[in-house]
């Protein structure tokens, strides 16, 4: 594919590529990036430290909390569990790619309306996860609580809660998050 | 301003902005990832290096030698700091253990070194090359083993006085004479705050001046204790913490990330950023200490308590403090004979300290199960039993009234709303298919505290009101309620107020802790706004006493002037601090509530699911019903964690918490939490502050775990007194399971 129409930004790993750095090209929120990174760099640290896209959060760095959830190749993943180099050529969407303070994504607006967050640290991950969850339900992908694996999926309270359970919110905004997602699912 | 007489009518009473459910003013930044947390400050201190902290591999003993040569020569490494080259460090007044170990080790994962390197990967890799020769000492790690000989703890600041139990009347005689008694022991485990944002700091030196961008609930405490630890003058230190990814008490104190970042930055001669790794947080930092609580209740056959005793034992490092789990028992229920006290064992586990609702959260986990057990012994409804034993005065100081106490209404309203009358008082007898259904109730109680709090308020040329205070927003909604307070006081819309928080260059506030943040910090803003109103009135030549600030104008008599006219000659700035008189001595100031929970327990697996939750709260004026409700549902969620899953597992041989990450230390997830309902009683407490508001963020947690536990008992008939109630603790005793198996056996035999 050609990316000529998309602005290319060359960002070097800060402060300079360490010995053994490897080249990587990927598209994040529609913007093409070429970087050189230490092969040990996770996708999460590439985003936060190298590209300065700090909306994606590091809560545990172990795939246990979901704060780093991003959408890569159309699927939600924990960015901390994936090395940056595994994403050569991938398209990645982060919270910054969903909406801005002046133009909120419907889920971002619903989180504000239903107060689906408190400290805000898990929030970008919750929202990225919720976007993907609604997509998974629409695509008919069943979950652990789906009674009928072949019937059309619906975004019931039980389905949404089950599918969102990889995203921990220690402030305990779950009840409000469920309402925010339900509102967008019904729209 | 000093608040020493009950509040009269004031501009807050208009409740045009205050008391209204506003969205969070910082919401659009948090939901788009634009709110900057400590580790993300690419906008400050260019040239940041990466720090990685190494924690102690032993719990107690000392370092015989620490070999850093390999780490220092690893690729990209700029500096390695240990006790050997850190220089002399002090200890913060709020810290029990030192934040940098060596040569003595006080607890597991106490920081022993920081490696500073060009990249995170290089720093982490080099940290693994540090070789420490430890000499293990003998430590005490087992609370149950230490409890029998744990000495009484004195609450008296004068430690020369011997510690005594808190006595009213003659407990022993009354308990012995009571026709109905309960004597039971309950345990609560060590718990972790487990806030989502790890401890993180960017530190940057400029000569002998240091700035830290960090994540801390109490800016002034961090400021004092970091200066004291590093031995620098306070005026040479700036602490900044505008967004905090959760704290729950874990970020009340200066922690190792800030100290180690500062030491690393000094050694490397460049700014350094540090985030503590998740697996290090649980043993490096503080936790809610485990308790063993013995409760004795004596009552008349009619259900009137005649005697209450509550003795709680917890452990901590030398010079640490106890978990004050008996705090609520002094004030919650009437009984003429009382015996209350805490014991404190010395343990060499990581430092125990405040976690959300310290004292009451743990204490009510035990007391409110005891009340449930006693109600059953008496054959009384648990709601009625609590109502019968309500008190309107301090039971230890008869005649000293509560400023406001509507516990009975919380219980009655909640019972009606929750359809409590449908509860089957016979436990283990309500089924819904394979599910055993139970309802539980518990009282919520937490004292209200007021803390000195200051703010600066400015009216700019553009008519915008800017508030500056070192208050923090840890998810509590401080930005929003402070904006609401200033908008109400100055008569401007919410979008004409800018709130700037969390910087040591701003006036010192209450900070976020002990559910004192909302009431205290808004009172400080109130005081500053009163001064600003006076200055504006003076500028406009009107009498401030009868001036009405509304709709962006000042009205006095027949005159109506735009606020903007007052700042033609330049912006007007006012600053004040709210100080507190003795109204809290004259009146007991507390917050109240009732928690109702419905659970379903799988009759065959023992799996517990929370089906419904309701909290009814009485906590004075609610400044923002939307954010206050979120505080309460979040606390209810944490209460479910405490009831059913949260427990730091102690390795009593090596002295550390084994399950030190978010996979091993389980907290509630989406699937665990149903829709939650919260009701606030319409109150305004004029004895507490001009805002007439009390704290709510900790009240919401108090009693929740016991309400869950009581619901589980009502479902199963199996009483579990050791938290958390994991299914292994009741599975073998489930009557429904036993019954089902018996029926199956009979059926099979009949075939």
């Amino acid at each position: 594919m050609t990316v000529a129409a998309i602005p290319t930004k060359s960002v070097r790993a800060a402060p300079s590529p360490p010995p053994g750095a490897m080249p990587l090209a990927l598209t994040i929120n529609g913007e093409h990036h070429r970087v050189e990174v230490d092969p040990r760099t996770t996708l999460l640290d590439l985003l936060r430290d190298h590209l300065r896209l700090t909306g994606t959060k590091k809560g545990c760095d172990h795939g246990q909390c979901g704060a780093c959830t991003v959408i890569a190749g159309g699927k939600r993943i924990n960015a901390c569990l994936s090395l940056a180099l595994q994403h050569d050529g991938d398209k990645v969407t982060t919270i910054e790619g969903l909406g801005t303070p002046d133009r909120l994504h419907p889920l971002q607006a619903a989180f504000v309306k239903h107060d689906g967050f408190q400290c805000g640290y898990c929030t970008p991950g919750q929202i990225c996860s919720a976007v993907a969850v609604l997509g998974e339900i629409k695509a008919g992908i069943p979950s652990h609580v789906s009674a009928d694996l072949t019937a059309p999926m619906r975004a019931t309270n039980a389905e949404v809660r089950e599918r969102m359970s990889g995203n921990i919110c220690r402030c305990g905004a779950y009840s409000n998050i469920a309402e925010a997602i339900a509102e967008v699912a019904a729209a | 301003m000093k608040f020493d007489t009950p509040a009269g009518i004031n501009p807050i009473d208009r409740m045009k902005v205050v008391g209204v459910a506003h969205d969070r003013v910082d919401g659009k930044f948090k939901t788009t990832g634009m709110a900057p947390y400590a580790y993300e400050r690419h906008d400050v201190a260019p040239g940041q290096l990466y720090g990685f902290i190494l924690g102690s591999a032993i719990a107690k003993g000392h370092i015989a030698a620490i070999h850093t040569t390999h780490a220092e020569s690893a690729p990209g490494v700029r500096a390695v700091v240990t006790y050997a080259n850190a220089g002399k460090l002090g200890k913060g007044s709020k810290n029990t253990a030192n934040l940098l170990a060596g040569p003595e080790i006080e607890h597991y994962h106490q920081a022993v070194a920081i490696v500073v390197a060009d990249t995170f990967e290089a720093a982490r890799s080099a940290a693994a090359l540090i070789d420490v020769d430890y000499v293990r000492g003998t430590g005490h790690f087992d609370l149950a083993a230490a409890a029998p000989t744990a000495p009484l703890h004195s609450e008296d600041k004068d430690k020369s006085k011997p510690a005594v139990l808190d006595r009213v009347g003659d407990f022993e005689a009354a308990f012995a004479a009571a026709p109905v008694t309960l004597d039971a022991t309950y345990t609560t485990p060590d718990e972790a705050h487990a806030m989502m944002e790890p401890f993180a700091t960017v530190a940057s030196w400029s000569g002998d001046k240091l700035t830290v961008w960090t994540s801390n609930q109490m800016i002034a405490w961090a400021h004092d204790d970091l200066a004291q630890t590093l031995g620098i003058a306070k005026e040479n230190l700036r602490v900044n913490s505008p967004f905090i990814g959760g704290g729950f008490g874990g970020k009340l104190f200066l922690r190792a990330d800030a100290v180690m970042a500062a030491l690393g930055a000094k050694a490397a001669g460049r700014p350094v950023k540090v985030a503590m790794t998740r697996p290090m947080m649980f043993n490096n930092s503080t936790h809610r200490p485990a308790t063993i609580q013995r409760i004795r209740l004596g009552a008349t056959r009619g259900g009137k308590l005649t005697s209450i005793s509550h003795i709680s034992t917890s452990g901590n490092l030398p010079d640490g403090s106890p978990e004050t789990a008996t705090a609520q028992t002094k004030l919650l229920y009437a009984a003429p004979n009382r015996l209350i006290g805490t014991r404190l064992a010395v343990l060499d586990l990581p430092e125990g300290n405040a976690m959300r609702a310290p004292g009451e959260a743990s204490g009510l986990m035990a007391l409110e199960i005891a009340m449930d057990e006693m109600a059953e012994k008496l054959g009384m409804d648990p709601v009625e039993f609590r109502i019968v034993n309500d008190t309107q005065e301090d039971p230890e100081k008869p005649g000293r009234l509560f400023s406001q106490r509507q516990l009975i209404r919380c219980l009655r309203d909640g019972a009606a709303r929750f359809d409590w009358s449908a509860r089957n008082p016979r436990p283990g007898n309500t089924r819904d298919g394979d599910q055993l259904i139970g309802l539980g109730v518990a009282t919520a109680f937490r004292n209200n505290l007021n803390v000195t709090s200051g703010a600066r308020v400015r009216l700019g040329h553009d008519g915008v009101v800017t508030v500056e205070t070192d208050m923090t927003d840890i998810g509590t909604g401080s930005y929003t309620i402070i904006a609401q307070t200033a908008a109400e006081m100055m008569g401007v819309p919410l979008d004409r107020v800018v709130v700037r928080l969390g910087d040591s260059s701003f006036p010192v506030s209450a900070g976020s802790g002990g559910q004192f943040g909302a009431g205290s910090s808004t009172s400080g803003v109130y005081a500053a706004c009163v001064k600003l109103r006076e200055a504006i009135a003076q500028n406009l030549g009107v009498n401030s006493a009868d001036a009405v600030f509304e709709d962006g104008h000042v009205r006095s008599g027949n005159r109506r002037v735009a606020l903007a006219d007052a700042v033609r000659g330049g912006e007007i700035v006012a600053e004040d601090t709210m100080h507190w008189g003795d109204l809290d001595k004259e009146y007991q100031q507390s917050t109240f509530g009732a928690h109702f929970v419905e659970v379903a327990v799988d009759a065959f697996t023992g799996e517990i699911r929370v089906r419904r939750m309701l909290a009814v709260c009485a906590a004075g004026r609610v400044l923002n019903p939307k954010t206050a409700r979120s505080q309460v549902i979040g606390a209810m969620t944490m209460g479910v964690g405490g009831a059913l899953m949260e427990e730091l597992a102690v390795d009593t041989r090596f002295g550390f918490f084994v399950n030190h990450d978010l996979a091993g230390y389980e907290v509630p997830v989406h699937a665990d939490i149903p829709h939650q309902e919260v009701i606030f009683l319409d109150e305004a407490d004029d004895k507490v502050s001009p805002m007439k508001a009390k704290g709510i963020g900790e009240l919401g947690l108090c009693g929740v775990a016991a309400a869950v536990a009581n619901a589980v008992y009502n479902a199963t008939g199996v009483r579990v007194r050791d938290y958390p109630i994991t299914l292994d603790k009741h599975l073998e005793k489930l009557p429904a399971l036993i019954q089902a198996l018996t029926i199956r056996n009979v059926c099979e035999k009949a075939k």
Side-chain angles (χ1 to χ4, degrees), chain B residues 206-352:
Chain B
S206 171
D208 55 4
K209 291 191 189 313
L210 171 67
T211 303
V212 292
W213 293 268
T214 189
S215 185
N216 194 290
Q217 301 175 219
M218 302 289 291
I219 301 301
W221 292 5
H223 194 233
D224 286 354
D225 278 357
L226 184 55
Q228 192 166 322
T229 302
L230 297 174
I232 62 174
K234 277 173 63 178
E235 55 270 26
N236 285 343
L237 174 64
R238 179 181 160 218
V239 177
N240 177 279
S241 190
F243 288 97
I244 296 139
F248 314 111
K251 292 174 181 167
L252 282 171
F253 314 106
L254 176 71
R255 297 305 315 166
D257 57 307
V259 173
M260 300 309 281
L263 294 174
K266 189 91 178 171
R270 291 256 299 270
V272 168
K273 66 172 176 178
V274 174
M276 195 174 291
T277 63
R278 178 62 63 178
M280 198 170 158
M281 289 176 64
F282 295 77
N283 284 286
N284 175 276
S285 71
T286 62
H287 65 279
R288 188 200 300 281
T291 63
I292 300 171
Q293 303 180 47
R294 183 185 182 193
I295 294 177
R296 283 170 287 174
L297 303 175
T300 65
R301 290 199 195 284
K304 272 274 187 196
L305 287 170
T306 57
S307 47
I308 297 178
S309 175
H310 191 172
I311 312 288
S312 173
T313 306
S314 59
N316 213 332
L317 288 165
D319 300 324
S321 49
E323 183 64 30
T324 55
T326 56
Q328 71 291 318
T329 309
K330 297 180 181 187
L331 292 161
L332 192 46
Y333 299 117
N337 303 287
R338 314 169 75 88
L339 183 64
I340 295 167
T342 53
R343 295 182 179 279
L344 179 60
V346 171
L347 293 180
D348 300 295
L349 290 169
E351 176 178 338

Side-chain angles (χ1 to χ4, degrees), chain B residues 345-629:
Chain B
V346 171
L347 293 180
D348 300 295
L349 290 169
E351 176 178 338
N353 217 317
M355 178 168 147
R356 196 173 198 169
E360 283 100 328
S362 305
L364 285 163
M365 285 169 88
L367 179 65
E368 288 300 289
I369 292 187
M371 290 295 285
D372 201 62
E373 295 202 55
M374 193 66 177
E376 190 180 29
K377 283 192 171 206
L378 289 158
M380 281 177 80
D381 180 273
V383 170
E384 283 309 310
F385 178 51
R386 286 170 172 86
I387 288 171
V388 163
N389 289 290
D390 183 55
T391 177
Q392 290 294 315
E393 59 183 15
D394 178 346
E396 292 189 351
K397 299 184 184 74
R400 178 173 177 257
L401 300 177
F402 285 85
S403 61
Q404 218 170 23
R405 177 168 168 135
Q406 296 204 71
L407 173 60
I408 291 176
R409 228 190 107 194
C410 291
L411 287 161
R412 287 214 193 284
D413 286 10
R417 182 84 175 189
F418 206 67
D419 199 14
W420 179 257
S421 60
R423 171 182 178 268
N424 185 343
R426 279 180 54 227
N429 273 279
T430 308
R431 292 283 290 250
D432 176 4
D434 288 342
Q435 303 296 313
L436 302 166
I437 307 301
L439 301 189
V441 67
T443 294
F445 173 93
R446 172 82 173 143
N447 282 334
N448 179 67
L449 300 171
N450 287 328
V451 176
T452 306
S453 197
R456 185 158 57 224
V457 189
R458 59 180 84 236
L459 178 62
H461 295 285
D462 47 7
V464 170
V465 177
T466 302
V467 185
E468 293 171 339
T469 164
D470 86 351
M471 181 60 190
T472 51
D473 189 330
I474 62 172
T476 37
S478 310
Y479 277 108
T480 311
I481 56 169
I482 285 173
Q484 288 175 266
T485 303
E488 192 79 81
M489 288 299 290
M490 303 313 299
V492 298
L494 203 55
D495 62 7
R496 301 297 283 166
V497 180
V498 172
V499 180
R500 300 176 67 203
L501 301 181
D503 195 297
S504 59
S505 65
F506 300 153
V508 174
S509 74
S512 300
Q515 80 169 13
F516 52 66
S520 300
S521 71
T522 54
S523 293
V525 173
Y526 172 94
C529 286
V530 168
K531 266 204 173 163
L532 183 61
R533 287 163 59 108
E534 285 165 4
I536 291 168
Q538 194 176 3
N539 243 13
L540 295 173
V542 302
N543 180 0
S544 69
D546 72 350
V548 177
F549 287 67
E550 61 184 11
D551 305 327
H553 287 75
V554 185
R555 188 160 48 76
S556 176
N558 294 329
R559 278 190 72 195
R560 187 166 182 273
V561 193
L563 265 184
D565 289 349
V567 282
R568 289 242 167 89
E571 68 167 10
I572 303 177
V573 185
E575 183 176 330
D576 202 4
T577 295
M578 182 60 83
H579 299 279
W580 307 96
D582 289 334
L583 282 170
D584 63 333
K585 295 188 179 64
E586 197 175 334
Y587 298 95
Q588 175 56 40
Q589 302 178 357
S590 304
T591 61
F592 303 89
H595 288 288
F596 292 83
V597 173
E598 177 181 320
V599 300
V601 182
D602 190 291
F604 299 99
T605 66
E607 182 186 356
I608 302 162
R609 288 279 156 197
V610 177
R611 284 191 165 186
R612 289 194 294 144
M613 298 186 84
L614 166 69
V616 183
C617 302
R621 176 176 282 155
V622 174
L623 302 175
N624 181 338
K626 185 174 257 188
T627 53
R629 178 179 173 278

Side-chain angles (χ1 to χ4, degrees), chain A residues 44-98:
Chain A
L44 177 59
D45 289 335
L46 172 75
L47 292 169
R48 284 169 61 79
D49 289 334
H50 300 239
L51 304 178
R52 303 190 171 190
L53 290 167
T54 54
T56 307
K57 305 304 182 192
K58 184 186 279 192
C60 71
D61 221 11
H62 282 66
Q64 299 167 347
C65 77
C68 65
T69 304
V70 298
I71 300 164
K75 294 196 171 106
R76 55 183 171 143
I77 62 166
N78 288 328
C80 72
L81 287 186
S82 151
L83 294 169
L85 290 175
Q86 292 173 274
H87 294 278
D88 195 30
D90 274 2
K91 285 182 180 172
V92 177
T93 301
T94 70
I95 190 71
E96 292 92 344
L98 291 178

